[in-house]
């Protein structure tokens, strides 16, 4: 029994791990690399293993850094089952198809330039049609449902509390009469986050593969987060400016809408026009509304009492390009939620172009910003940004609200590991080097356990 690590090793995107047991090959995650141009370029690389020898694929949740290269598996010859939670199946129907559309669009744009130069044309990473074909291989499961996915491999998904349908993956692996339990954290949610339940507490494992995104820091408390949000909205109102919120279309967008409803009177939101300027965000919100069976207790009560979590009297759903362009004509009184969450693409870039040079505008950063992204540059205090070749001065106030993360912070990660009664060895993944190193030292000091910081192509034998 062994696990090979092919992604999200000392970085936070491109999750990909190969579990080998009983002559079976199970791929755990198939994520896209995101962030810098160099990272994105590697998405076109061939997989570092024989795709045709895979027996099954498991994905923990729908974010593209965990699912975004699945259509490439199909292109290279995999035609087996892809196991995940039912809500993740619904989200992937949106996200993978949208990803295929973006890859086609980017290839067309690039080929126009190449045709003029007489250069060789490029192919999209995958197409919309290829993404749609991939969806036919998804097999949805409920939480806590054990399933033998192939000989010697039993799968159970537990609630990770990160986004709707996100899962902790429990694998019971059997070889030569010996069974071992491997627990993969997936992306662990932030305790007491809106809508979703807290991450499931697992009591036993022989090996834990654990994310470390925020292994080096603590989040602000939820109370302080809401207070800061209210203060920013009040200040923006007095300054007669707009508020731009680059938000991940799955998870963060729904949390924002939910909290806007909870604080509608307190934050005097009836004085604003609120725009969800994201076709995919609108579809994802519908998926959240569909899966009320996995809400936390408070969200269940809100849903029953108010006939929905996200209905606001001044919320405008912007699906068309024409509608989005009209929003750019508003100089004051608009709260605009748009993707992408790291400002690397999508409609938020257009809203930045029309607002970020204004001194009375505000930009709320409410999620992780990977190195090399425009969002990270704004967080780091850049004075100018470049959009479509035009340099634009940053005069808007940029606020980073760290408490709004969908990932557990350092204490949350340590608390989750604390629940393992036998204190199993840990392999850290899905974290930048500094965060991973600090979390490793904390785990070693507090629990006296063996901690490995996974590196690319590292092979780890499951302890017998």
């Amino acid at each position: 029994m062994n696990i090979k690590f092919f992604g999200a090793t000392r970085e936070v995107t491109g999750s990909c791990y190969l579990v080998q047991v009983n002559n079976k090959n199970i791929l755990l995650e198939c994520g896209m690399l995101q962030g810098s141009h160099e990272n994105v370029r590697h998405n076109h690389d061939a997989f570092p293993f024989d795709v045709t020898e895979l027996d099954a694929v498991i994905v923990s949740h729908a974010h593209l850094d965990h699912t975004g290269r699945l259509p490439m598996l199909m292109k290279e010859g995999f035609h087996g089952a892809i196991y995940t939670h039912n809500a993740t199946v619904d989200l992937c129907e949106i996200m993978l198809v949208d990803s295929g559309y973006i890859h086609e669009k980017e290839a067309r744009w690039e080929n126009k330039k190449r045709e003029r130069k007489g250069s060789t044309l490029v192919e999209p990473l995958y197409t919309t049609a290829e993404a749609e074909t991939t969806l036919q291989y998804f097999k949805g499961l409920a939480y806590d449902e054990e399933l033998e996915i192939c000989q010697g491999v039993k799968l159970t998904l537990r609630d990770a509390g990160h986004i709707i349908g996100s899962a902790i993956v429990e694998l019971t692996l059997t070889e030569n009469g010996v069974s071992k339990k491997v627990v993969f954290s997936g992306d662990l949610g932030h305790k007491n986050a809106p809508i979703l339940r807290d991450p499931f507490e697992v009591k036993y494992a022989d090996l834990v593969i654990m994310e470390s995104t925020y292994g080096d820091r603590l989040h602000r408390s939820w109370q302080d987060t809401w207070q800061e949000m209210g203060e920013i909205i009040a200040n923006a109102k007095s300054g007669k400016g707009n508020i731009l919120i680059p938000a991940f279309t799955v998870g963060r967008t729904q949390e924002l809408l939910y909290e806007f409803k909870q604080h509608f009177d307190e934050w005097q939101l009836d004085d604003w026009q609120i725009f969800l300027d994201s076709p995919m965000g609108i579809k994802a919100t519908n998926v959240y509304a569909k899966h009320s069976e996995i809400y936390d207790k408070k969200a269940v009560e809100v849903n029953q009492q108010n006939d929905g979590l996200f209905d606001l009297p001044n919320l405008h759903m912007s699906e068309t390009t024409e509608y989005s362009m009209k929003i750019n004509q508003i100089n004051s009184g608009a709260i605009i939620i748009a993707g992408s969450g790291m400002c690397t693409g999508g409609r938020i870039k257009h809203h930045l172009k029309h607002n970020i040079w204004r001194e009375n505008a505000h930009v709320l950063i409410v999620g992780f910003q990977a190195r090399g992204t425009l969002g990270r540059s704004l967080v780091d205090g850049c004075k100018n940004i470049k959009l479509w070749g035009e340099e634009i001065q940053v005069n808007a106030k940029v606020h980073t609200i760290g408490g709004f993360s969908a990932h557990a912070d350092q204490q949350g990660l340590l608390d989750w590991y604390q629940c393992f009664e036998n204190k199993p060895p840990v392999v850290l993944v899905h974290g930048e080097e500094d965060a991973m190193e600090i979390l490793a030292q904390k785990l070693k000091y507090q629990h006296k356990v063996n901690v490995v910081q996974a590196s690319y192509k590292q092979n780890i034998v499951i302890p017998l």
Side-chain angles (χ1 to χ4, degrees), residues 77-143:
F78 174 70
H79 297 105
I82 302 168
Y83 296 95
T84 192
H85 189 271
N86 293 314
T88 300
V89 176
D90 291 340
L91 287 176
C92 284
E93 289 179 359
I94 301 166
M95 300 181 72
L96 286 180
V97 171
D98 181 75
S99 179
Y101 168 78
I102 291 172
H103 291 310
E104 288 184 86
K105 183 178 178 181
E106 289 176 345
R108 285 196 299 269
W109 180 262
E110 176 65 22
N111 285 335
K112 283 184 179 179
K113 294 187 289 185
R114 287 174 173 257
E115 282 180 332
R116 289 193 290 267
K117 296 178 181 178
S119 303
T120 304
L121 301 185
V122 299
E123 293 290 330
L125 191 64
Y126 52 85
T127 65
T128 302
E130 288 165 339
E132 290 171 342
T133 297
T134 304
L135 296 170
Q136 299 172 19
Y137 294 87
F138 274 75
K139 304 291 184 184
L141 303 174
Y143 289 133

Side-chain angles (χ1 to χ4, degrees), residues 160-163 187-194 196-199 211 214 218-222 225-226 252 255 296 401-410 412-413:
H162 173 62
I163 61 171
D187 286 2
L188 292 173
H190 185 181
K191 194 172 182 179
N192 298 321
L196 303 179
R197 296 178 295 206
D198 291 342
E211 70 123 319
Y214 285 118
L218 300 176
H219 296 324
R220 180 174 299 182
S221 72
W222 285 113
T225 297
W226 307 141
R252 193 54 33 76
E255 290 173 347
D296 67 12
I401 308 183
F404 233 123
S405 174
H407 285 267
D409 64 2
Q410 182 189 85
L413 293 168

Side-chain angles (χ1 to χ4, degrees), residues 9 14 47 105 158 178 182 186 189 218 248 297 326 359 390:
T9 52
F47 289 101
K105 183 178 178 181
R158 309 292 191 184
V178 177
V182 175
L218 300 176
F248 302 119
K297 183 178 179 181
K326 288 181 179 178
E359 292 184 357
E390 179 182 352

Side-chain angles (χ1 to χ4, degrees), residues 5 12 62 92 105 128 163 180 201 252 266 348 417 423:
F5 294 81
V12 295
C92 284
K105 183 178 178 181
T128 302
I163 61 171
K180 294 293 176 178
E201 297 178 352
R252 193 54 33 76
E266 177 188 349
I348 193 64
Y417 180 80
K423 299 300 176 281

Side-chain angles (χ1 to χ4, degrees), residues 243-261:
I243 299 175
L244 309 184
I245 310 180
F248 302 119
T249 54
V250 177
R252 193 54 33 76
T253 291
Q254 292 73 39
E255 290 173 347
L256 287 167
L257 294 178
Y258 176 77
E259 290 302 328
F260 282 173
K261 183 169 184 175

